[in-house]
Amino acid sequence: MEKYVIHGGKPLSGEVVIGGAKNAAVAILPATILAGGKCLIENLPCISDVMASLQILSELGAGIRMVTRNIYEIDTTNINSTEVSNELSRQMRASYYFLGALLGRFGSGQVAMPGGCNLGPRPIDQHLKAFTAFGAEDSVEYGQIRVKADHLVGSHVFFDTVSVGATMNAMLAAATAQGTTVLENVAREPHIVDLANFLNMMGADIHGAGTDVIKIHGVKQLHGCNYSIIPDQIEAGSYMVAAAITKGDVTLRNVTPKHLEPITAKLRAAGCEIEEFDDALRIRRTGNLHPLKVKTMPHPGFPTDMQPLMTTLLTLADGTSIVTEGIWENRFRYVDELLRMGANIQVDGQVAVIEGVRKLRPAPLRATDLRAGAAMIMAALSADGISEVDETIHIERGYENIVEKLQLLGADIRRVEAPRNAITRAI
Ligand code: EPU
């Protein structure tokens, strides 16, 4: 077990290079199964969710060759199993993408049935709705979900709710289904477009990704390709908050400013100065923070994965902010940690009312999930004195080298070994 020890109160400055998008990578890696050949994937973030996906591919029979830390060659020619082991599929929720990919190539797939998680219930009914529309049957046995089809036929699917996972899984299964598929009310996140681009590079015929209707003409077979994953929108947004909360001046390299617009707009409204370049962005804050109203929504709305970070920033605004969580039922669990730092926040269901305070005070903190963990780091960076963040395993699922990247920006943060339950907490 590791924890981070952070001596906060120093403005961050300098440059940080943003890695590849986690939520694109965890769909693109299973998608390589559809190639039945070799794919070279570049800009893969070196994070534990990616490592788990590579391990699953390897266990299924794929050849994995590391070219560099962020480039892997994956050969899915000799995959000889359609069942993801319980142990590996439970390490990562996104293992459900193996269902769509295995179903598309082999007509069957099995993973552990995902349960609820820290963010609230996480049903997959919309994923299954699409698979069923394509002619598959599903069954659950001893915690495993199995999908099976003699052959897949394209269909018209109207999703009841906008879901990133269901949109991606339907694309994976439909790419080689016979005939045409139309998916309506789909998610429009940058990673949806990235997956569609990757599938098209492998020979698929997918149009409309990035709008709310996607049309897929099924092709007989896909083939391998070389592909570079887009930059991570949420990692970038997290460093923007790091700059904003410490009154810093940070330039982000390897970003797509267009993908960051929902975040940029809110940070500008909060008083940050932001300059956009082709693949870089500079953020500075010199004045006070203005309070905001923020509601998380599917893209191009404000992303839910930025919500804990934005709420944390707004604890220091001059006045009252209101943050409404529009995607997940239970995404304010980290607020208790901020209260122990002196923040003034009241949560009622999906709404947090935040009265800005002048300073957060250092405290021992816990990463309750991935993005909440990142938010705790930002809170600690802003507080004068030494804070500790434990349960960092959540953070390392999605942030490559976060300690080293923050150190390069001048943060006083280090990893230390923490024996289990060694942290005494003032409650
Ligand atoms: N939903 C259903 N039925 C379904 C699927 C989803 O009711 O079949 C509901 C969910 O309960 C939720 C909403 O629809 O209320 C949106 O869920 P979505 O399917 O879009 O989420 P996801 O695909 O499971 C991905 C990201 C999350 C991110 C959400 C929303 C990955 C691996 N995860 O999850 O990322 O919060 O989209 O943008 O792509 C994170 O990176 O920290 C993270 C949690």
Side-chain angles (χ1 to χ4, degrees):
M1 282 256 293
E2 278 183 346
K3 64 180 175 178
Y4 301 157
V5 178
I6 299 166
H7 193 160
K10 302 173 180 63
L12 299 192
S13 68
E15 292 190 356
V16 60
V17 180
I18 300 304
K22 167 180 93 75
N23 291 345
V26 294
I28 284 174
L29 289 173
T32 61
I33 291 173
L34 292 165
K38 278 187 189 166
C39 293
L40 188 79
I41 310 294
E42 297 176 23
N43 206 28
L44 262 179
C46 184
I47 52 177
S48 58
D49 272 12
V50 162
M51 293 305 134
S53 304
L54 289 169
Q55 223 181 323
I56 293 174
L57 283 166
S58 165
E59 196 187 67
L60 293 175
I64 309 284
R65 189 169 70 85
M66 178 173 146
V67 181
T68 70
R69 180 185 164 88
N70 300 109
I71 304 178
Y72 280 80
E73 185 186 77
I74 297 152
D75 184 351
T76 56
T77 314
N78 296 320
I79 286 200
N80 52 19
S81 166
T82 59
E83 293 176 16
V84 179
S85 70
N86 191 39
E87 192 197 331
L88 280 175
S89 51
R90 290 177 72 103
Q91 273 182 26
M92 183 190 56
R93 295 199 55 84
S95 57
Y96 50 49
Y97 290 129
F98 283 91
L99 278 182
L102 289 166
L103 183 63
R105 168 129 176 241
F106 299 107
S108 81
Q110 182 175 312
V111 303
M113 182 74 179
C117 77
N118 286 348
L119 311 181
R122 292 190 76 166
I124 58 162
D125 56 301
Q126 298 303 304
H127 305 229
L128 300 179
K129 176 177 175 169
F131 296 155
T132 310
F134 306 151
E137 286 177 7
D138 58 83
S139 56
V140 180
E141 212 170 296
Y142 204 63
Q144 302 288 306
I145 173 124
R146 180 164 195 80
V147 289
K148 209 170 171 347
D150 287 337
H151 70 287
L152 294 172
V153 182
S155 182
H156 193 134
V157 182
F158 193 105
F159 290 108
D160 303 334
T161 185
V162 177
S163 159
V164 169
T167 304
M168 303 250 231
N169 239 340
M171 283 161 63
L172 292 170
T176 52
Q178 188 192 333
T180 299
T181 292
V182 178
L183 306 174
E184 288 200 64
N185 196 27
V186 294
R188 293 182 279 168
E189 272 66 6
H191 29 291
I192 304 282
V193 180
D194 208 35
L195 177 64
N197 287 341
F198 175 61
L199 291 169
N200 284 342
M201 197 82 114
M202 290 201 294
D205 187 357
I206 302 178
H207 300 266
T211 74
D212 55 11
V213 182
I214 295 178
K215 201 165 182 180
I216 303 168
H217 298 290
V219 296
K220 277 219 159 60
Q221 219 178 333
L222 301 183
H223 50 74
C225 70
N226 294 0
Y227 195 77
S228 182
I229 291 175
I230 53 167
D232 196 302
Q233 175 201 30
I234 307 300
E235 187 194 16
S238 305
Y239 286 99
M240 289 170 80
V241 167
I245 206 164
T246 62
K247 275 199 162 182
D249 180 351
V250 171
T251 297
L252 282 65
R253 301 262 171 220
N254 186 35
V255 294
T256 306
K258 177 89 192 141
H259 296 167
L260 298 174
E261 274 172 3
I263 302 167
T264 304
K266 285 295 175 195
L267 288 174
R268 279 198 177 121
C272 299
E273 287 168 55
I274 297 174
E275 282 175 86
E276 294 171 13
F277 307 95
D278 286 347
D279 60 356
L281 180 149
R282 179 179 179 194
I283 173 163
R284 276 174 289 182
R285 176 165 79 90
T286 45
N288 289 353
L289 281 168
H290 311 312
L292 296 179
K293 283 203 178 92
V294 180
K295 179 166 184 186
T296 68
M297 285 191 280
H299 191 80
F302 188 82
T304 172
D305 295 339
M306 283 297 298
Q307 183 264 99
L309 290 136
M310 188 51 101
T311 302
T312 300
L313 179 67
L314 293 173
T315 60
L316 296 172
D318 274 347
T320 309
S321 300
I322 298 179
V323 175
T324 307
E325 173 56 47
I327 307 288
W328 298 114
E329 266 181 34
N330 194 13
R331 207 167 198 174
F332 284 117
R333 290 174 66 222
Y334 64 89
V335 162
D336 286 346
E337 305 295 302
L338 294 177
L339 295 182
R340 292 188 305 104
M341 299 181 84
N344 183 351
I345 307 175
Q346 288 205 11
V347 177
D348 186 3
Q350 308 287 94
V351 181
V353 178
I354 307 149
E355 297 290 344
V357 295
R358 223 176 54 76
K359 275 276 175 199
L360 293 178
R361 293 189 299 269
L365 302 166
R366 190 163 65 94
T368 51
D369 64 64
L370 167 63
R371 308 301 174 187
M376 290 310 107
I377 294 178
M378 305 316 157
L381 287 172
S382 81
D384 293 331
I386 297 178
S387 298
E388 293 181 355
V389 180
D390 70 359
E391 299 193 25
T392 56
I393 189 166
H394 293 297
I395 302 170
E396 309 232 334
R397 278 187 43 226
Y399 289 89
E400 178 173 358
N401 285 342
I402 190 164
V403 169
E404 293 72 15
K405 287 184 182 185
L406 287 168
Q407 283 170 345
L408 280 175
L409 294 174
D412 185 345
I413 173 170
R414 61 200 161 86
R415 283 191 185 87
V416 298
E417 273 305 311
R420 213 169 264 279
N421 299 329
I423 295 159
T424 43
R425 313 174 73 219
I427 298 181

